[in-house]
Amino acid sequence: MIKYNISDSASMSKTFSESDVYLFAGITGDFNSVHINSEVAKRGIFGERIAHGILVSGLISAVIGMKLPGEGSIYMEQDLKFLKPVKIGDTVTATVRIVEIINEAKGILKLDTIVRNQNEETVIDGYAVVKVPVVKE
């Protein structure tokens, strides 16, 4: 048995800083100029540096692991559509909502995952499939 219901949701917000971008680049090795080099990024399609999309999507993982479904949740699948850039200094909110209980006995849920910026524009849209701990009766 699982303790979750369709439409349960949770959110987390974060302002992405220059330090976040540099630390992520150092950890992953993704030093693409659009993230790191102001002069090169000025000439790019966004006109300025932007945060890595996968860095921003990590906020979805934080919601899943820490809030809903929370502790013990295991990712099985994640689909992401990157719709708008997140600029350094933007504040985004990731929201996760349970949309389907795929298999209650195995604790498998489908979640809508969405990230919006401070202007309420959707920057990332997608879904996740996760496995959650099952309560034995």
Side-chain angles (χ1 to χ4, degrees):
M1 174 177 231
I2 57 175
K3 59 181 181 176
Y4 306 101
N5 299 299
I6 303 294
S7 295
D8 286 353
S9 68
S11 299
M12 288 178 82
S13 297
K14 177 171 178 43
T15 302
F16 283 94
S17 69
E18 188 169 50
S19 294
D20 294 324
V21 171
Y22 284 133
L23 287 168
F24 187 80
I27 290 166
T28 63
D30 181 354
F31 292 98
N32 185 324
S33 294
V34 73
H35 308 301
I36 302 303
N37 186 316
S38 297
E39 292 305 310
V40 173
K42 279 182 194 174
R43 297 188 303 270
I45 61 173
F46 301 116
E48 63 185 297
R49 289 185 304 140
I50 61 170
H52 301 74
I54 292 297
L55 168 60
V56 176
S57 70
L59 195 55
I60 296 168
S61 179
V63 176
I64 289 170
M66 304 306 296
K67 290 193 170 190
L68 183 78
E71 184 68 34
S73 298
I74 303 296
Y75 255 115
M76 297 177 71
E77 181 179 347
Q78 176 73 63
D79 174 76
L80 300 169
K81 292 176 186 66
F82 299 97
L83 303 174
K84 290 188 172 287
V86 172
K87 299 173 182 177
I88 294 170
D90 280 357
T91 300
V92 300
T93 301
T95 302
V96 169
R97 183 173 55 89
I98 298 172
V99 293
E100 183 180 350
I101 298 171
I102 294 172
N103 186 321
E104 185 166 2
K106 292 184 178 183
I108 300 174
L109 307 174
K110 183 175 183 182
L111 315 169
D112 268 348
T113 58
I114 190 165
V115 181
R116 290 189 174 98
N117 65 17
Q118 67 274 5
N119 301 318
E120 291 299 315
E121 299 167 316
T122 301
V123 297
I124 300 174
D125 191 17
Y127 69 87
V129 176
V130 297
K131 182 167 177 43
V132 299
V134 176
V135 178
K136 305 291 184 201
E137 288 188 38

